[in-house]
Amino acid sequence: MNLDFSPEDVAFRDEVRAFIASDYPADIRAKQDAGIDLDRDDYLAWHRVMAKKGWVAPGWPAEYGGPGLSDVQKFLLAEELAFADTAPILPFGLKMVAPVIYTFGTPEQKARWLPPTLAGDIWWCQGYSEPGAGSDLASLTTRAVREGDHYVVNGQKTWTTLAQYADWGFFLVRTDPTAKPQMGISFLLIDMKSPGVTVRPIITMDGRHEVNEVWLEDVRVPVENRIHNENEGWTCAKFLLAHERTNIANVAGSKRSLQKLRKIAEKEGIADDPGFAAKLAELEIDLLALEYTELRSLARQSSGRGPGPESSLLKIKGTEIQQRLTELTLEAVGPYGLPDARGLGNAGPVGPDYAGRAAPTYFNVRKTSIYGGSNEIQRNIIAKLVLGL
């Protein structure tokens, strides 16, 4: 594919830069500059600004509200948003469940859920993993028993990101316990305010409330909330996971992180250290290779095909690069990366501001090689689908 930027692409990139400069909310920027965590209202405010511009769902087909951008324009939009360090547009609705709905859903389901998802009126969460079913997702045990025009759902989900804010969730549930594992699963959309839904926080090693466990006790879900056929939810699950793995790669975000790392290395006086410089150069080469792979994946999707096995490659390399970035950042800040110096009798963390989150971020990013299907599972997928093993 031709990766040269045409005059139209350059003009689009300039338009994106000007839009961010003029329309990015000042209060959100102030929070970011002060190191204050963003909340639900912040994420939704930026989502709605992007929706009003028409760029919030660059991958959606035009018939459902997508902007009709080219592959290169999608790439440029993601890159400029990352370089400007804007708040992330959360993927659960726009990039995960929405493609399932517009691919497998009925006309009524599309009309009901796609417009509010696009507008930012629904906050979605994902109910896939369970205490005994993570990478081996097909072993999930959450049950949904049909009673007339409802399912009654019982079970537990875990690591449910930002479920404390969610209006709706998309859940994998077992509707036929006698079938082969993948054949007895259905894909349900569940109102998180339904009686019987309980969200309990899990505080991560960096001290943040990002993930949760979700309990479902006799939750009644209308059958009309099932996407695709009963017991064929695994088809939706695989489709969604392929999109999720492509997004997890987050090439634009890693490029931005690499820029930040170079600046930290310069401030710490180790940018010219031969050993450190070699690690940075190797990382940059790997990131460039990943970028081209992502562009090929975008081209595949624009031709009407979903993400293929390259999504597993993107997931593996993307998360490995993210982890290497945090490792090198921790190496660059040295002793200032101590997670919390208060235990040593000080009033708070020591060292420059950019070092304060180095250790917590390092610990948090350990998870990226596990969620979305562990990297070990992704290697098995590549061996089967690409190498024929």
Side-chain angles (χ1 to χ4, degrees), residues 4-14 73 76:
D4 293 332
F5 294 151
S6 68
E8 292 78 15
D9 292 332
V10 172
F12 176 77
R13 182 185 62 192
D14 293 342
Q73 288 172 333
L76 289 172

Side-chain angles (χ1 to χ4, degrees), residues 30-255:
K31 275 190 170 184
Q32 290 175 285
D33 291 343
I36 300 173
D37 289 342
L38 302 184
D39 58 26
R40 184 182 195 274
D41 291 341
D42 297 323
Y43 288 117
L44 290 179
W46 177 228
H47 179 123
R48 288 166 180 155
V49 170
M50 287 285 286
K52 183 178 179 180
K53 180 65 176 177
W55 288 342
V56 77
W60 284 29
E63 63 185 295
Y64 302 120
L69 301 180
S70 69
D71 302 328
V72 173
Q73 288 172 333
K74 294 173 190 174
F75 167 78
L76 289 172
L77 176 61
E79 189 167 65
E80 291 302 320
L81 291 171
F83 286 163
D85 201 19
T86 62
I89 301 296
L90 297 178
F92 308 106
L94 295 173
K95 295 183 178 180
M96 295 169 68
V97 73
V100 172
I101 293 172
Y102 64 63
T103 301
F104 298 99
T106 65
E108 294 77 14
Q109 290 170 334
K110 295 174 187 179
R112 179 180 179 185
W113 280 297
L114 291 180
T117 298
L118 188 67
D121 294 333
I122 296 179
W123 184 299
W124 291 92
C125 67
Q126 180 185 26
Y128 270 32
S129 293
E130 298 181 5
S135 295
D136 183 18
L137 188 58
S139 65
L140 65 89
T141 60
T142 294
R143 286 288 310 279
V145 178
R146 181 82 175 258
E147 291 187 0
D149 58 359
H150 283 76
Y151 291 103
V152 178
V153 182
N154 284 277
Q156 181 188 1
K157 299 293 181 177
T158 194
W159 312 121
T160 311
T161 303
L162 301 179
Q164 70 269 30
Y165 297 144
D167 305 300
W168 283 81
F170 47 98
F171 287 76
L172 290 182
V173 298
R174 187 162 303 286
T175 43
D176 185 353
T178 65
K180 292 182 179 180
Q182 289 88 345
M183 299 304 295
I185 292 172
S186 296
F187 191 100
L188 295 185
L189 307 183
I190 298 179
D191 185 342
M192 295 296 288
K193 304 301 187 292
S194 300
V197 176
T198 303
V199 178
R200 297 173 182 167
I202 298 173
I203 305 305
T204 53
M205 290 182 69
D206 60 357
R208 291 180 169 176
H209 178 194
E210 179 183 4
V211 292
N212 304 269
E213 58 180 8
V214 176
W215 293 85
L216 304 136
E217 300 174 274
D218 293 329
V219 179
R220 296 183 65 83
V221 181
V223 172
E224 64 189 23
N225 291 12
R226 187 193 70 230
I227 304 297
H228 199 40
N229 301 323
E230 186 173 271
N231 299 324
E232 295 182 16
W234 192 250
T235 300
C236 301
K238 290 190 298 182
F239 179 86
L240 186 149
L241 284 169
H243 281 270
E244 181 183 6
R245 289 161 187 159
T246 300
N247 297 323
I248 288 172
N250 193 21
V251 172
S254 290
K255 291 177 70 174

Side-chain angles (χ1 to χ4, degrees), residues 270-301:
I270 63 170
D272 295 328
D273 176 82
F276 193 84
K279 294 176 185 177
L280 274 182
E282 183 179 5
L283 185 58
E284 186 170 15
I285 291 169
D286 287 347
L287 184 54
L288 181 61
L290 184 67
E291 181 179 353
Y292 276 79
T293 303
E294 182 182 53
L295 286 167
R296 289 196 298 270
S297 179
L298 281 173
R300 175 187 173 93
Q301 294 178 54

